[in-house]
Amino acid sequence: MNSTGTTGGKANAGVEATGFEAASAAPEHGIIAGPDSVTPIVLRAMAGGEARLNELMTALVRHLHAFVEETGLTEDEYQRGLGFLAAIGHATGPTKNEAVLLGDILGVSTLVTLQNNAREESATASAVLGPFWRKNAPRMPLGGNIARGDTPGVPLEVNGRVTDAAGKPLAGVDVDVWQASPVGFYENQDPRQPPMNLRGLFTTDADGRFHFKTVRPAGYPVPTDGPCGDLLRAQNRHPYRPAHLHFMLSAPGYRTLVTQVFADDAEGLNRDVVFAVLRSLVGRFEETTNANGEREARLNYDFVMEPGEQSFPIPPIP
Ligand code: BEZ
Ligand code: FE
């Protein structure tokens, strides 16, 4: 026996390398007697640690174990499920975030988003960030065009005003905008588009207003070349999102508002694969024909921010 209470040099070396205390110092939680004893014993083993982590892990284990029992999960299904999770990790890299996509197509992202935002009824609803937001979109003057280079499509002018819940205009709010092209690709998915195409950062004026030019976005399928695509196919689900613009509004002293505005004439508003469409987020895309017979569109959409913390999400891609 040595000073750490273990026997033999080898065991000691192992204990030192892990940074954990010796096994003999850990609380006992019991010996498994059969399937019914697994959950209470696992919960007992997880009784320590930081309080919120403990709460989250305890609930997660309870629900996971209940899922295994309710479905009678087989060993083969369990192996396939683990393989799926590993594939999600392998498919995630610098230009693609399959983990974010999984949360989105399961409706978890929308649930978390709605549960944590727009606490005041008049505040603009939030919508999922999605896997395509990039930090450092080019800062542009009001009225600038985010369709860079040659991006054929129906010209769209967007006008908006940002206020608080009492209607006070909010000046100096950063309005970060990103969208898919008229053929349904984000710039990072499409080598034909210039870098940062259809992305821009504007700042509201003294009256809380902003405006910019772009082209009408198209609806598009979420990426289907990875495990999430396999899951959608296996479930006989479609992969489509209705046409929308993404907005992230931020200012010191206000909760950062991440949302999307959907075109009222978009196909599939009531079958979004990521469940992000709320009625209040459908904007009127007013189309007219100009003197040359060409289509043009306008969107007026106002935003209401809530007081709170200005914070930014972890960018899903660089
Ligand atoms: C998006 O709107 O960019 C998006 C959201 C969720 C999943 C895929 C794409
Ligand atoms: Fe999108």
Side-chain angles (χ1 to χ4, degrees):
M1 191 76 106
N2 58 31
S3 60
T4 63
T6 55
T7 48
K10 264 201 165 141
N12 250 345
V15 165
E16 278 156 24
T18 65
F20 285 87
E21 287 192 45
S24 55
E28 294 173 359
H29 44 64
I31 290 177
I32 305 290
D36 291 348
S37 66
V38 175
T39 305
I41 285 181
V42 173
L43 292 177
R44 223 174 291 142
M46 301 195 325
E50 190 266 320
R52 179 64 176 159
L53 176 67
N54 184 271
E55 184 182 353
L56 293 173
M57 288 307 298
T58 300
L60 182 66
V61 164
R62 267 195 290 107
H63 287 276
L64 270 178
H65 287 213
F67 161 78
V68 170
E69 286 165 356
E70 181 189 317
T71 59
L73 193 73
T74 67
E75 288 173 294
D76 181 51
E77 289 162 344
Y78 180 49
Q79 293 303 326
R80 287 176 60 185
L82 293 178
F84 178 77
L85 288 183
I88 293 285
H90 288 138
T92 296
T95 57
K96 193 155 177 269
N97 196 317
E98 198 81 1
V100 170
L101 186 56
L102 178 62
D104 295 341
I105 66 170
L106 296 181
V108 179
S109 305
T110 287
L111 197 52
V112 173
T113 298
L114 295 181
Q115 180 169 286
N116 284 281
N117 292 284
R119 298 190 174 139
E120 291 174 39
E121 218 181 306
S122 61
T124 303
S126 299
V128 296
L129 176 73
F132 295 124
W133 176 61
R134 290 178 69 183
K135 223 170 134 175
N136 301 325
R139 195 171 272 285
M140 299 176 69
L142 290 176
N145 196 338
I146 62 171
R148 298 163 211 288
D150 183 25
T151 310
V154 176
L156 169 68
E157 200 179 302
V158 179
N159 286 273
R161 190 168 189 229
V162 187
T163 65
D164 68 10
K168 184 183 87 173
L170 299 181
V173 174
D174 274 344
V175 180
D176 193 343
V177 190
W178 68 106
Q179 65 166 88
S181 73
V183 291
F185 288 116
Y186 285 85
E187 138 278 347
N188 55 294
Q189 297 177 296
D190 182 1
R192 290 162 304 182
Q193 293 184 49
M196 290 290 178
N197 195 32
L198 301 173
R199 299 176 187 271
L201 183 61
F202 300 89
T203 306
T204 56
D205 65 16
D207 197 27
R209 295 184 192 279
F210 67 90
H211 65 285
F212 63 91
K213 295 187 182 62
T214 180
V215 284
R216 282 198 69 153
Y220 57 85
V222 299
T224 54
D225 57 348
C228 290
D230 294 338
L231 180 62
L232 291 174
R233 274 183 284 272
Q235 291 188 292
N236 281 330
R237 289 176 60 187
H238 73 79
Y240 299 106
R241 300 222 58 217
H244 58 274
L245 298 167
H246 290 263
F247 291 89
M248 184 188 300
L249 277 63
S250 63
Y254 291 87
R255 269 183 95 76
T256 299
L257 171 61
V258 177
T259 193
Q260 304 180 23
V261 177
F262 298 87
D264 55 345
D265 56 357
E267 168 141 4
L269 283 173
N270 58 0
R271 49 182 133 88
D272 180 8
V273 66
V274 302
F275 314 100
V277 183
L278 274 77
R279 279 201 195 289
S280 62
L281 296 179
V282 177
R284 171 123 178 73
F285 279 54
E286 210 181 298
E287 271 215 20
T288 48
T289 308
N290 68 17
N292 299 325
E294 296 155 343
R295 292 163 63 200
E296 8 178 82
R298 261 178 93 84
L299 166 70
N300 291 307
Y301 193 92
D302 295 338
F303 297 85
V304 177
M305 295 181 77
E306 298 177 283
E309 197 196 337
Q310 181 185 27
S311 63
F312 295 95
I314 298 166
I317 51 171

